[in-house]
Amino acid sequence: LAKTTQPISMDSYEGQEVNITCSHNNIATNDYITWYQQFPSQGPRFIIQGYKTKVTNEVASLFIPADRKSSTLSLPRVSLSDTAVYYCLVAGNQGGKLIFGQGTELSVKP
Amino acid sequence: DTAVSQTPKYLVTQMGNDKSIKCEQNLGHDTMYWYKQDSKKFLKIMFSYNNKELIINETVPNRFSPKSPDKAHLNLHINSLELGDSAVYFCASSPGLAGPTSTDTQYFGPGTRLTVL
């Protein structure tokens, strides 16, 4: 089972780049890595997904090294509205375990 | 135009009672889930259904019984509620035609905060 480990909390200031790393030492060949964002009193929502190397969209970038044992979510120039909990999910194929990490609580200060 | 909806949003009840939480998705997805989020933000999957059939059943007490009348609905019934059942319960759905896949994106509902007194 691909268990994930993330820092429990991080602090940042507006305008900074934030990098959140997730460890998943037991990731399987077919597993993809997906990150979700959760605001208070809301359900998680998809941010970005990747398998290897680098993926970028309008919200974030995801860096995955060659061994795929970790991944880093990068949020460029954060704002106060990026304050949320960020979850790393390593998911396998049909019937596979869906294991979310404990989440990283990001606090962005003015 | 709500994608995944849950009712009720808040549920306060006494120990020993039986309660239900309803979930509906209008995304046309084939797979639905129930998650439990505790006070420490840990998000744990409880069940997953694909087209009305149970495909994932984590180690959950049998007091919890999911029911899927059709692929757009997945309800959660809880018998004999205990203090430890207090949490936020999230319903989610994903397109997976035969269950969750490694690339499936899950769409979550707003959550139901259950408080057992």
Side-chain angles (χ1 to χ4, degrees):
Chain A
L1 301 178
K3 180 181 176 181
T4 61
T5 304
Q6 304 172 231
I8 293 177
S9 64
M10 293 181 71
D11 290 331
S12 181
Y13 291 93
E14 280 190 296
Q16 288 186 333
E17 177 185 78
V18 171
N19 296 309
I20 305 173
T21 297
C22 178
S23 297
H24 29 79
N25 291 321
N26 297 326
I27 190 168
T29 304
N30 292 330
D31 289 347
Y32 274 69
I33 301 150
T34 309
W35 285 79
Y36 287 81
Q37 175 190 55
Q38 184 181 23
F39 296 116
S41 301
Q42 294 185 24
R45 68 172 190 173
F46 173 89
I47 304 177
I48 196 167
Q49 182 181 78
Y51 183 79
K52 61 180 179 181
T53 63
K54 177 183 174 183
V55 179
T56 297
N57 62 22
E58 65 277 6
V59 176
S61 294
L62 179 59
F63 298 91
I64 305 168
D67 66 7
R68 304 201 326 122
K69 292 183 184 297
S70 67
S71 58
T72 299
L73 174 73
S74 181
L75 304 172
R77 298 179 298 281
V78 294
S79 64
L80 296 177
S81 61
D82 291 316
T83 293
V85 179
Y86 292 83
Y87 288 94
C88 163
L89 170 66
V90 176
N93 279 329
Q94 173 188 340
K97 296 287 187 178
L98 293 169
I99 303 174
F100 281 80
Q102 77 271 25
T104 298
E105 191 159 6
L106 173 66
S107 177
V108 180
K109 301 173 183 176
Chain B
D1 60 346
T2 303
V4 181
S5 60
Q6 297 178 227
T7 53
K9 188 166 177 62
Y10 299 96
L11 187 52
V12 181
T13 188
Q14 300 285 333
M15 268 197 315
N17 284 350
D18 303 337
K19 290 293 178 186
S20 292
I21 306 173
K22 295 185 177 181
C23 177
E24 176 181 3
Q25 55 96 1
N26 62 6
L27 298 167
H29 289 166
D30 283 282
T31 302
M32 295 185 72
Y33 313 79
W34 275 109
Y35 285 87
K36 179 180 180 181
Q37 185 172 50
D38 61 24
S39 58
K40 294 183 179 179
K41 303 291 187 186
F42 234 113
L43 194 58
K44 297 180 182 179
I45 189 167
M46 301 172 68
F47 303 101
S48 176
Y49 269 70
N50 175 255
N51 204 8
K52 303 191 296 176
E53 287 194 22
L54 181 65
I55 54 171
I56 295 177
N57 184 351
E58 291 301 304
T59 309
V60 177
N62 57 16
R63 298 182 295 103
F64 291 78
S65 53
K67 284 189 170 52
S68 182
D70 55 62
K71 75 173 192 178
H73 296 83
L74 180 62
N75 304 322
L76 183 65
H77 189 75
I78 315 170
N79 289 326
S80 304
L81 278 156
E82 300 177 357
L83 293 177
D85 297 331
S86 295
V88 181
Y89 292 83
F90 287 100
C91 176
S93 72
S94 68
L97 291 177
T101 68
S102 56
T103 55
D104 246 8
T105 296
Q106 296 181 58
Y107 295 78
F108 285 80
T112 295
R113 182 174 293 276
L114 171 65
T115 303
V116 182
L117 304 174

